[in-house]
Amino acid sequence: MNDTASTTKDESYDVETDIESNTPLTPQRAHLQLAIDGMTCQACASRIEKVLNKKPSVYEVSVSFAGETANVDYDPTQTTPKQLTEWVNKTGFVANVQAGDSLFAQTDEDTATQYPWRLIGLWICLVPFLVGMAGMLTGFGMAWMPPIWAQFILATVVQFGLALPFYKSAWASIKGGLANMDVLVVIGTVTIWAYSTYLWLTHGDGTLNSLLQSGHGTSNSPAVYFEAGVMVIAFVRTGKYLEERTKKHSLNSIDLLLSLTPDKVEQQQPNGDFHNIALSDVQIGDVLRAKQGSRVATDGTVIEGSGWCVESHLTGESVALKKEQGDGLLAGALVENGSLLYRVNAKGSDTKLGDMVQALSDAQGSKANLARLADRVTAVFVPVVVTIALVTFGATWWLTGMVDTALMHAVSVLVIACPCALGLATPAAIMAGMGVAARHGVWFKDAQSLEAAGNIDTVVLDKTGTLTIGRPTIVDHVMVDKSLAVDDVLQIAANVEAHASHPLATALVNTAKDRQLPLFDVTDISVIKGAGIQANIEGLGLIKVGTAEFANLALPKFMPKVWQIASTVAISINDEPLGAFALADDLKEDTPQAITALQDASINVILMSGDKQSVVDHVAGQLGIDKAYGKMSPRDKASQIALLQTAGHKVAMAGDGVNDAPAMATADASFAMFEGTDVAQHSASARLMGESLMHINAAQKIAQATLRNIKQNLFFAFIYNCLGIPLAAFGFLNPMIAAAAMALSSISVLMNALRLTRFETKIELDNTVTTSHTDKERLAEG
């Protein structure tokens, strides 16, 4: 193996040397997110998916009706983002590419909800009809209803003017081969308008005078239903407006994240003065100031001053951290106390916050498996409803002999049948759940990952860096060659370990630096799976650093007790053993609490580590873990997880190293620990932005709550249609009530999803208490 090889963190040097899993997408598979405008229900999203999936250059498409986005994986050698947007535009929608800094570049005009002039116009036209209906309810009959000619004018303005978007959407839907809910609205309201107009025009002698004189105050006035069509359109449009506002503001956590960065920042000038400039004008290398009560605008490094910053928006932990010269800052962090000067390292989408925003946007746009059921139903929903409406019309006319009654029943069926609630049931809950998870420092890769996390019953944990702090220290040593000083052996080991990345290697290298032992060049670096790392040092020969067996070292049988609970790193030159170091790592402070929380939630906790069994047993005994496996290679971990799955368990894996990647890929759900290797984060279905294992408990609880919410939404949507359509068919619901009920069904689903945004876990409650104590400590320190 070449000298580019790297190792990982597990104590036995169980290392997967295949780093290809961390390489980015090949040039033949690119990812693109499109913002879609104009979707009115899940059928619209299904139509876009259908159109794009037919293109040979498109691999996979996921369109979110709730998020109004499309995630597209495509072949960049065969098509371009521009072509993809054109294909979407041809289906009757407007697509725009979401890339780079686009999320951060939004202006107030872009993000603000447009003033609903069309909706206001609808309700102005509806007011005379509402007055007339109020007269009916108060015993005045039809006396307060406008003359029929005025009703005709108002209804026509609404039907062919203010309701124009319904027609455009319906026509585009029909052209695309899938009928959406707007088709039902248009068919129903046009039928009402046409029938009422026909009755009015054929009433009397057909002269203009007789038409103008007809009104509800006359005894021979025709029974028209203009008010029904106007009310249906007004109620449906009102429901859509409320739905859009809820989706874009209350459900979407992205806007909240974007609001964490200030629009204006204080930039230091060459003469030392500070000027306010727009955040968009900030450049890498600029020096900015963040004062108490303000938020950090970009990622950067403190160059002067000190203060306490809360980074809960990324880590989920509300405890403030002290920042001094040389410390890193994250965009969006709140400066609770102090004043900081920092140099800009990254801005916009290149910041950690920007990465989170893009990850959250992609995740919210993905689909859970539960959403497939709703997709299949909505794909055939409208044709089935139209058929039911026709059957209702024919049967009612045949049974009653009254065409107007039959027409109202049929229109009620068309209007009450709303696929919107079905389409919103899953994505609305996913959007809310993703936002809550992000608030707790858990970044799910996609909706399937969140769904999988909600079904787990077993959690497999790695040891170092997961259960422990991941910063081991040398606690003892043994030298075979007494002529060599300990520092000489340490220096040799550190030179080789400088090319490894696991905590044990880092501990040896840092100790060598602390003792001011110089490092020099080594050659022919290679990693031996499950054993260690070797390299050549000129003048010495082949150096091996790893397990005792790898370094050809036989440790004495009777060693101090610390060697039984510490990790061993042995060193040899040309297969002649030099000695060994014992390294110990402390448990994270809240690891016992996290294990207890998982076990209390009926989650089976298993420890798997590459370290020797005695160390693994010691840690498991401290934490009350019944099953603990040592000397596990990456393949062993993956195989053991596969066996658990075969036995019917839903398994999650948590780790932070390259050697955890195979197990993570095998598990149903996986969590990469904070500051884990790139390979681990790439393999994981979720990233934990805090160091605490409590984030796993929070992720599992949030995922379960989201799944419950999805099932509640789907149940409500199915029951609504199962009850509403028969009631409408049998005449228990008139078109106006049906329209109001249809709008309320979508709003009810969204309101239920919004309940998730108030979800709190133990980690949040603990942070509240911890923060109050920390505040007292800071005040005492000040």
Side-chain angles (χ1 to χ4, degrees):
M1 187 172 291
N2 297 328
D3 58 13
T4 54
S6 62
T7 64
T8 85
K9 52 148 215 60
D10 235 16
E11 291 77 358
S12 67
Y13 289 78
D14 276 348
V15 179
E16 284 290 353
T17 58
D18 179 12
I19 310 298
E20 292 180 1
S21 61
N22 192 36
T23 56
L25 291 174
T26 61
Q28 284 71 38
R29 189 180 182 96
H31 178 76
L32 178 71
Q33 186 175 78
L34 300 174
I36 310 294
D37 187 33
M39 291 191 293
T40 59
C41 71
Q42 182 58 39
C44 299
S46 300
R47 178 153 49 91
I48 297 173
E49 288 182 350
K50 179 181 177 182
V51 169
L52 292 182
N53 278 323
K54 287 182 178 179
K55 307 298 181 183
S57 57
V58 175
Y59 297 123
E60 187 177 358
V61 182
S62 176
V63 181
S64 170
F65 167 51
E68 297 183 347
T69 58
N71 288 318
V72 186
D73 286 343
Y74 66 100
D75 185 348
T77 64
Q78 296 187 41
T79 189
T80 63
K82 182 179 180 181
Q83 180 66 67
L84 289 168
T85 58
E86 289 177 355
W87 285 336
V88 175
N89 293 340
K90 286 180 180 178
T91 63
F93 304 98
V94 179
N96 293 294
V97 177
Q98 293 269 49
D101 273 334
S102 60
L103 288 170
F104 285 85
Q106 294 182 34
T107 63
D108 292 339
E109 183 179 354
D110 295 327
T111 57
T113 302
Q114 295 181 351
Y115 205 69
W117 291 112
R118 192 180 296 273
L119 179 60
I120 293 173
L122 279 171
W123 279 89
I124 290 175
C125 292
L126 180 60
V127 166
F129 292 108
L130 293 177
V131 172
M133 296 181 71
M136 296 169 58
L137 294 174
T138 55
F140 289 90
M142 306 295 291
W144 291 4
M145 192 67 75
I148 296 181
W149 61 267
Q151 294 182 45
F152 169 77
I153 293 175
L154 291 171
T156 303
V157 169
V158 169
Q159 193 70 49
F160 302 107
L162 298 175
L164 191 59
F166 287 95
Y167 287 86
K168 291 180 178 179
S169 174
W171 176 240
S173 175
I174 293 172
K175 284 198 304 180
L178 288 172
N180 62 9
M181 65 159 288
D182 290 336
V183 173
L184 300 179
V185 173
V186 168
I187 292 175
T189 56
V190 165
T191 301
I192 292 174
W193 179 88
Y195 179 70
S196 298
T197 302
Y198 169 77
L199 291 179
W200 176 52
L201 293 178
T202 57
H203 175 72
D205 56 12
T207 63
L208 179 61
N209 186 55
S210 65
L211 293 177
L212 293 176
Q213 287 182 352
S214 30
H216 286 298
T218 61
S219 58
N220 60 346
S221 58
V224 295
Y225 302 93
F226 287 118
E227 75 281 359
V230 174
M231 290 190 73
V232 166
I233 292 172
F235 286 161
V236 172
R237 187 66 195 92
T238 300
K240 284 189 176 185
Y241 176 73
L242 295 175
E243 178 185 307
E244 289 167 5
R245 286 190 61 87
T246 305
K247 288 191 299 182
K248 290 182 179 179
H249 297 286
S250 302
L251 273 182
N252 200 342
S253 299
I254 291 178
D255 285 343
L256 295 176
L257 291 174
L258 293 176
S259 67
L260 294 177
T261 54
D263 296 327
K264 298 285 186 180
V265 295
E266 291 187 79
Q267 181 193 49
Q268 188 178 43
Q269 305 301 306
N271 62 2
D273 294 337
F274 289 90
H275 289 171
N276 286 332
I277 66 170
L279 177 58
S280 57
D281 295 332
V282 170
Q283 302 298 321
I284 304 296
D286 285 354
V287 176
L288 307 179
R289 180 166 65 183
K291 296 183 292 188
Q292 180 176 347
S294 65
R295 289 194 177 270
V296 177
T298 68
D299 285 0
T301 303
V302 179
I303 62 174
E304 186 179 324
S306 65
W308 294 84
C309 296
V310 177
E311 299 173 345
S312 59
H313 64 299
L314 292 178
T315 66
E317 297 173 354
S318 57
V319 178
L321 303 174
K322 190 171 185 179
K323 300 291 183 178
E324 298 176 311
Q325 185 174 350
D327 291 337
L329 291 176
L330 298 178
L334 175 65
V335 182
E336 275 198 346
N337 196 2
S339 179
L340 303 166
L341 287 185
Y342 62 98
R343 192 176 306 279
V344 176
N345 296 336
K347 65 173 190 172
S349 59
D350 294 328
T351 63
K352 201 78 171 177
L353 175 63
D355 180 45
M356 180 179 183
V357 167
Q358 190 58 57
L360 182 59
S361 180
D362 288 341
Q364 288 183 340
S366 61
K367 283 189 176 180
N369 292 325
L370 282 171
R372 311 296 174 186
L373 173 63
D375 287 352
R376 288 193 294 269
V377 172
T378 54
V380 297
F381 192 85
V382 173
V384 169
V385 169
V386 171
T387 302
I388 294 174
L390 290 174
V391 171
T392 298
F393 176 79
T396 305
W397 192 3
W398 179 63
L399 291 172
T400 65
M402 301 173 64
V403 67
D404 55 344
T405 301
L407 183 64
M408 289 300 103
H409 288 192
V411 170
S412 296
V413 169
L414 292 174
V415 174
I416 195 68
C418 174
C420 284
L422 277 174
L424 286 170
T426 300
I430 289 295
M431 287 180 68
M434 290 285 185
V436 174
R439 192 177 77 215
H440 287 77
V442 181
W443 298 7
F444 282 104
K445 184 179 293 185
D446 49 36
Q448 292 91 336
S449 300
L450 184 144
E451 187 175 16
N455 291 318
I456 62 173
D457 57 30
T458 302
V459 172
V460 174
L461 300 173
D462 177 48
K463 185 172 74 67
T464 303
T466 303
L467 296 176
T468 63
I469 296 173
R471 291 188 290 273
T473 57
I474 297 175
V475 293
D476 200 3
H477 64 269
V478 61
M479 294 295 110
V480 175
D481 188 343
K482 303 298 183 180
S483 65
L484 289 176
V486 174
D487 281 0
D488 293 334
V489 178
L490 174 63
Q491 183 181 20
I492 293 171
N495 274 277
V496 178
E497 291 283 51
H499 298 273
S501 60
H502 58 84
L504 292 181
T506 303
L508 293 177
V509 173
N510 288 341
T511 304
K513 288 181 178 179
D514 292 341
R515 298 182 185 182
Q516 298 182 343
L517 304 177
L519 301 181
F520 39 84
D521 292 335
V522 299
T523 59
D524 301 325
I525 304 166
S526 63
V527 174
I528 309 303
K529 178 181 177 183
I533 182 172
Q534 66 183 28
N536 279 308
I537 297 180
E538 187 176 355
L540 292 179
L542 178 65
I543 310 298
K544 290 184 177 180
V545 184
T547 64
E549 295 84 356
F550 180 59
N552 200 28
L553 174 65
L555 290 171
K557 290 185 178 179
F558 300 102
M559 297 286 288
K561 185 177 180 181
V562 68
W563 286 83
Q564 302 302 314
I565 61 174
S567 303
T568 301
V569 178
I571 304 98
S572 69
I573 296 180
N574 297 324
D575 289 328
E576 291 294 328
L578 299 181
F581 293 96
L583 294 96
D585 191 10
D586 294 329
L587 291 173
K588 293 177 181 176
E589 184 178 353
D590 63 353
T591 292
Q593 177 190 5
I595 299 301
T596 301
L598 288 170
Q599 292 172 337
D600 288 345
S602 300
I603 301 294
N604 183 29
V605 180
I606 300 175
L607 173 58
M608 294 186 190
S609 174
D611 208 344
K612 55 189 178 185
Q613 190 65 48
S614 60
V615 175
V616 176
D617 289 340
H618 175 71
V619 172
Q622 285 182 294
L623 298 173
I625 298 176
D626 296 329
K627 294 182 180 179
Y629 302 92
K631 302 293 290 182
M632 297 283 283
S633 70
R635 188 179 297 275
D636 291 337
K637 292 180 182 180
S639 298
Q640 188 64 36
I641 288 175
L643 287 175
L644 289 168
Q645 292 171 324
T646 302
H649 293 287
K650 298 295 184 181
V651 186
M653 170 70 190
D656 71 335
V658 178
N659 62 336
D660 296 317
M664 287 181 169
T666 305
D668 298 283
S670 52
F671 302 98
M673 301 304 295
F674 184 64
E675 294 186 348
T677 62
D678 289 342
V679 177
Q681 297 202 7
H682 178 78
S683 304
S685 57
R687 284 186 285 172
L688 307 181
M689 300 313 298
E691 296 181 353
S692 171
L693 271 183
M694 288 298 295
H695 289 286
I696 296 179
N697 182 55
Q700 188 261 345
K701 283 182 167 53
I702 292 167
Q704 281 190 333
T706 303
L707 288 183
R708 285 196 301 270
N709 196 277
I710 290 174
K711 292 173 182 177
Q712 290 166 359
N713 286 346
L714 287 174
F715 175 80
F716 177 80
F718 278 118
I719 289 298
Y720 164 81
N721 283 291
C722 289
L723 294 178
I725 292 176
L727 288 174
F730 287 103
F732 293 104
L733 299 174
N734 62 42
M736 292 83 80
I737 296 176
M742 186 194 75
L744 286 174
S745 68
S746 296
I747 299 301
S748 298
V749 166
L750 291 173
M751 291 301 105
N752 189 46
L754 277 176
R755 291 192 305 111
L756 279 174
T757 62
R758 299 192 297 272
F759 186 84
E760 289 186 348
T761 64
K762 185 73 163 54
I763 189 172
E764 246 181 333
L765 299 176
D766 286 348
N767 279 340
T768 303
V769 177
T770 306
T771 302
S772 64
H773 288 303
T774 307
D775 289 338
K776 294 177 182 177
E777 292 169 6
R778 289 202 298 274
L779 289 173
E781 183 179 326

